[in-house]
Amino acid sequence: MAREFDIIVYGATGFTGRLVAEYLVQAYPSGVRWAMAGRSLSKLQQVQGEIGAPADTALIAANSDDPASLTAMCERATVVISTVGPYQLYGSDLVAACAATGTAYVDLCGEPAWMRQMIDAHEAAAKASGARIVFSCGFDSIPFDLGVLTLQDAARAKFGGPAQRVKGRVRIMKGGFSGGTAASLKATLAAAAKNPSILALLINPFALTPGFTGPSQPKGLLPEYDKTIEAWVAPFIMAPINTKNVHRTNFLLGDGQGKGYGADFVYDEMMVAGLGDIGKAAAEAIARINPLASDKGPKPGEGPSKEERESGHYDILFIGETPDHKRIECVVTGDRDPGYGSTSKMITESALCLVRDVAGEGGIWTPGALMGATLRDRLAAKAGLTFTAN
Ligand SMILES: NC(=O)c1ccc[n+]([C@@H]2O[C@H](COP(=O)([O-])OP(=O)(O)OC[C@H]3O[C@@H](n4cnc5c(N)ncnc54)[C@H](OP(=O)(O)O)[C@@H]3O)[C@@H](O)[C@H]2O)c1
């Protein structure tokens, strides 16, 4: 039976959730049945007015401290979009409620140790209920997950098999961070400091592939000269989450579907710093700076301005090499700042993809493994992304 809403945006009062709701107002003025949810009805009402949402938009009170309110919300939705983070602090009961009620779920999680805990705790229930749960539907990790998938589709078409070694090289990433993202990284670091098993998951490239460990992967912790692109490269702050998701996509696709990248697949991500001595100095400077570590950064609810979001963009090059040294490339670009302007479109279109385009079994998925090329086409058509392989 169809549920009351196609989509419920949970966390619509936060910095990113509000952008998601605003995108639905502007891009889908009709045809999508959706509601805004959060812990404060008065704050939801205020945001509803500020973003120009129709006066009859349903507002739903749900609080992560009150599991019954989460279950009641889930029962009304085909898909819940959650932007309530840090997920390790506020997200566990919602994943449990989605798994129990067979409700699809997408989020913006970049917290891999928590994701592994959720896989261990709820994958069986999600499989049983049919709940399609998809973490990391923002800049981490959609452009990377689908970039590698696109490259591998092209490698299979051109060479008859996947590239065994793939490098992700971020050439442009113009944008800022929000308070919620900084809080999520701090929550992860605090959890790791207290619990060595969490630290072990964070440094394990195969943390999200229970029962499978592939070959040794590049650590990506130091600047280096990359001969493949003849430029200096530096550590990339999102690599620890993206690389784990890419390995999980390989793991899920390889499992019986024959569309994986192989058990010997090696993948890393670095930031391109530049050429020659200037490139080297830039790579060393990037390696020293952690933009999320400062206490002076944005507070929860704050993030990059409209101008910063609209003038932001990104460009990522993927280079693949087959076991017999044939080379293939893919470029992914996005037309807004990665973390918010582009992310709010990506997560909304992911939710719509689950509502309208793909079925799929219940379980804990990645965007690439569940929605793959269908999501890629939707993002290219609607969300300002491009995917070009050659
Ligand atoms: N992967 C990516 O590319 C990406 C991009 C952007 C954001 N993110 C992630 O998305 C998450 C949100 O970031 P943000 O900057 O939007 O955060 P934010 O502005 O702080 O918003 C957090 C939201 O959570 C709500 N919330 C907090 N505690 C709650 C509770 N107990 N019950 C119900 N709701 C509660 C807040 O409600 P109130 O308004 O009532 O306080 C607010 O709506 C973070 O985890 C961040 O890392 C990821």
Side-chain angles (χ1 to χ4, degrees):
M1 253 203 6
R3 300 225 174 147
E4 186 181 354
F5 300 108
D6 297 324
I7 293 174
I8 294 179
V9 183
Y10 175 54
T13 56
F15 185 77
T16 320
R18 178 190 172 110
L19 294 176
V20 169
E22 208 168 357
Y23 177 67
L24 277 166
V25 170
Q26 288 167 6
Y28 294 94
S30 63
V32 179
R33 296 171 300 135
W34 67 283
M36 294 163 61
R39 59 180 164 175
S40 155
L41 277 179
S42 61
K43 206 167 167 188
L44 282 168
Q45 238 159 13
Q46 188 190 331
V47 172
Q48 177 190 19
E50 286 169 1
I51 65 172
D56 61 355
T57 307
L59 307 179
I60 298 169
N63 193 314
S64 70
D65 301 335
D66 174 6
S69 71
L70 301 174
T71 301
M73 172 175 72
C74 290
E75 284 169 341
R76 300 173 72 181
T78 300
V79 183
V80 172
I81 294 180
S82 175
T83 58
V84 173
Y87 294 92
Q88 62 197 288
L89 302 183
Y90 309 128
S92 303
D93 287 341
L94 177 59
V95 175
C98 286
T101 55
T103 308
Y105 165 100
V106 292
D107 75 10
L108 297 175
C109 189
E111 301 161 49
W114 177 79
M115 288 157 62
R116 174 57 188 266
Q117 287 161 6
M118 294 299 100
I119 292 169
D120 291 345
H122 302 300
E123 177 140 60
K127 283 186 168 160
S129 71
R132 298 164 298 164
I133 292 172
V134 195
F135 299 128
S136 309
C137 292
F139 183 64
D140 352 339
S141 296
I142 281 182
F144 301 89
D145 192 14
L146 294 186
V148 175
L149 188 102
T150 303
L151 178 139
Q152 297 291 31
D153 285 350
R156 249 185 243 102
K158 201 166 171 183
F159 307 130
Q164 178 266 328
R165 171 73 171 105
V166 177
K167 296 179 170 188
R169 296 291 179 258
V170 181
R171 298 193 290 199
I172 302 170
M173 191 174 90
K174 186 165 180 279
F177 290 103
S178 71
T181 298
S184 297
L185 185 75
K186 282 178 192 153
T188 295
L189 296 178
K194 272 196 237 145
N195 183 343
S197 70
I198 289 183
L199 184 61
L201 282 176
L202 293 178
I203 60 176
N204 177 4
F206 298 98
L208 302 182
T209 61
F212 171 75
T213 299
S216 168
Q217 304 287 316
K219 302 236 175 333
L221 297 174
L222 294 172
E224 63 183 51
Y225 184 74
D226 185 345
K227 279 193 216 145
T228 331
I229 56 167
E230 297 180 340
W232 281 87
V233 294
F236 173 46
I237 192 163
M238 306 299 179
I241 175 65
N242 293 331
T243 51
K244 291 178 184 54
N245 276 322
V246 167
H247 285 300
R248 182 160 173 83
T249 293
N250 181 26
F251 172 74
L252 293 171
L253 289 179
D255 187 14
Q257 297 190 42
K259 291 186 194 152
Y261 316 148
D264 58 352
F265 176 65
V266 175
Y267 178 64
D268 74 330
E269 291 173 3
M270 302 288 283
M271 207 61 219
V272 179
L275 307 176
D277 288 345
I278 294 177
K280 185 177 183 202
E284 283 163 358
I286 293 169
R288 278 195 299 271
I289 300 165
N290 178 349
L292 289 169
S294 159
D295 282 338
K296 297 197 186 94
K299 303 276 172 290
E302 299 173 357
S305 68
K306 189 167 191 285
E307 291 67 36
E308 285 169 317
R309 296 195 305 272
E310 287 180 355
S311 67
H313 57 122
Y314 52 92
D315 176 306
I316 310 152
L317 169 69
F318 297 87
I319 308 135
E321 197 178 305
T322 61
D324 53 352
H325 307 296
K326 292 191 182 107
R327 178 170 160 146
I328 189 150
E329 293 187 1
C330 174
V331 175
V332 178
T333 66
D335 71 345
R336 292 280 186 276
D337 77 302
Y340 305 94
S342 185
T343 283
S344 53
K345 295 195 279 185
M346 284 189 270
I347 190 171
T348 311
E349 295 297 345
S350 299
L352 284 167
C353 190
L354 292 180
V355 172
R356 295 180 173 176
D357 304 342
V358 301
E361 290 166 16
I364 301 195
W365 290 95
T366 58
L370 179 60
M371 296 180 270
T374 310
L375 178 61
R376 179 178 66 212
D377 294 347
R378 178 175 264 281
L379 295 173
K382 311 256 186 199
L385 277 81
T386 68
F387 299 85
T388 315
N390 50 51

